[in-house]
Amino acid sequence: MPMNSLIDVGLSHYLALSAALFAIGMLGVLMRRNVIVMMMSIELMLNAVNLTFIAFSRFRDNMDGQAMVFFVMTIAAAEAAVGLALAVTIFKRFREVNIRYFEHLKG
Amino acid sequence: MTLTAQDLLFYILGGLSLASALGVLLMTNPIYSALCLALTMVSLAGLYASMQAWFVAGVQLIVYAGAVMVLFVMVLMLFDLKSEIKAFSRGAVAGFMKLVAVGLMTGAFLAAIYNSADTLLGTSLAAHVDGTVSTKALAQLLFGKYVFAFEAMGVLLLIIAIGAVALSRIEGGTHADE
């Protein structure tokens, strides 16, 4: 990504944006204590990966990337459903959804 | 080297998605985090549309900005959470280490992207992709090459639906023995 092509948006620009979004999502998972906000940050990371898939699909002219995005979206929806069900059961007992209550789960 | 409409769209939508992603990270009230995340999803859908991935952009709006965000907001309203006092993890040293780790990872990503810019040039782009044609090609991929993975996804969703119901009906919650 040479400096003189800063206005000539190409694949590198989309990849850089995706890397930045992924980093923000990772910071969210590491720094926040609320389980729901942590799961939102995971969604953010998955979305950053999706952006990479779409960018490669566009700039390499290959539809397989778009098919992959569907699978990532399905996994993300499944993860959100199970994670939120866990958060609800934690909240029923502790009236809070802090990550420290996940330390000693019993099945 | 002229600034085309797509380049302008990239900077506007990319800036919007970055700003709202930072909002998810920094807002101490979870409901504001959720709304910021919805804005990120919508701006990413715009980016997909600007890259001519019309069907994926629509699915992004319906599934992510629609269904998943409704799930998040509904659970947040169920909890009735207020603005958090201790939203971030404690420890200045640990926080600094986390920042350094994420910074190193992002630096590695950006260096890899920068160094491979010449090999990643890509093919010559069609100025406009017909949405009907590209959606048909996507469907042929999903129901042809990836049909087993597609069916496995259906089974996975069924398992998840049953599992989520079972999980929320456990007697005594997740800490039954205490």
Side-chain angles (χ1 to χ4, degrees):
Chain A
M1 195 176 11
M3 270 308 163
N4 57 4
S5 71
L6 207 58
I7 52 169
D8 204 19
V9 172
L11 178 55
S12 307
H13 295 73
Y14 285 98
L15 294 183
L17 173 65
S18 169
L21 281 176
F22 192 90
I24 294 173
M26 193 170 167
L27 268 181
V29 174
L30 290 175
M31 307 278 275
R32 297 300 298 260
R33 299 282 82 188
N34 188 322
V35 173
I36 299 188
V37 180
M38 288 172 82
M39 272 168 26
M40 286 183 209
S41 303
I42 294 174
E43 299 286 332
L44 208 55
M45 290 161 81
L46 288 165
N47 266 288
V49 174
N50 277 353
L51 182 62
T52 312
F53 273 128
I54 296 285
F56 270 110
S57 160
R58 165 72 173 151
F59 287 94
R60 310 294 291 185
D61 201 17
N62 186 341
M63 288 298 283
D64 289 65
Q66 298 195 17
M68 283 303 150
V69 169
F70 275 92
F71 297 132
V72 175
M73 276 182 183
T74 318
I75 297 291
E79 171 255 321
V82 170
L84 287 172
L86 264 178
V88 168
T89 50
I90 289 283
F91 185 81
K92 267 196 237 165
R93 182 178 172 91
F94 293 103
R95 319 307 298 168
E96 206 186 333
V97 281
N98 198 301
I99 188 67
R100 69 171 185 272
Y101 298 129
F102 282 72
E103 276 173 0
H104 26 68
L105 292 173
K106 289 189 175 64
Chain B
M1 295 244 177
T2 49
L3 195 68
T4 63
Q6 197 197 339
D7 300 347
L8 197 63
L9 212 55
F10 169 79
Y11 282 114
I12 293 171
L13 290 172
L16 189 63
S17 66
L18 273 183
S20 50
L22 275 175
V24 176
L25 176 61
L26 296 176
M27 291 287 180
T28 50
N29 192 337
I31 204 88
Y32 290 150
S33 286
L35 294 178
C36 282
L37 185 62
L39 188 59
T40 314
M41 305 285 190
V42 172
S43 52
L44 279 177
L47 277 178
Y48 297 164
S50 82
M51 278 189 280
Q52 321 268 337
W54 306 111
F55 191 67
V56 176
V59 171
Q60 168 89 6
L61 275 182
I62 294 168
V63 172
Y64 261 131
V68 172
M69 287 322 298
V70 164
L71 202 62
F72 272 108
V73 172
M74 204 188 71
V75 169
L76 280 176
M77 286 176 172
L78 207 64
F79 291 170
D80 190 29
L81 296 174
K82 296 292 180 290
S83 193
E84 297 170 74
I85 303 156
K86 289 176 186 164
F88 295 92
S89 55
R90 286 166 294 168
V93 180
F96 180 71
M97 297 289 267
K98 287 168 185 171
L99 274 176
V100 168
V102 173
L104 280 176
M105 186 200 68
T106 315
F109 281 166
L110 291 180
I113 293 165
Y114 181 85
N115 283 328
S116 58
D118 294 332
T119 52
L120 285 180
L121 281 178
T123 51
S124 60
L125 298 177
H128 179 76
V129 180
D130 189 351
T132 321
V133 174
S134 69
T135 305
K136 190 177 174 188
L138 184 59
Q140 277 166 345
L141 261 184
L142 274 179
F143 291 102
K145 188 176 172 186
Y146 295 115
V147 67
F148 287 110
F150 192 75
E151 296 296 330
M153 283 296 154
V155 177
L156 175 85
L157 282 179
L158 178 65
I159 294 170
I160 291 298
I162 296 170
V165 172
L167 204 57
S168 53
R169 289 180 60 88
I170 300 172
E171 289 290 323
T174 46
H175 293 62
D177 290 342
E178 285 179 34

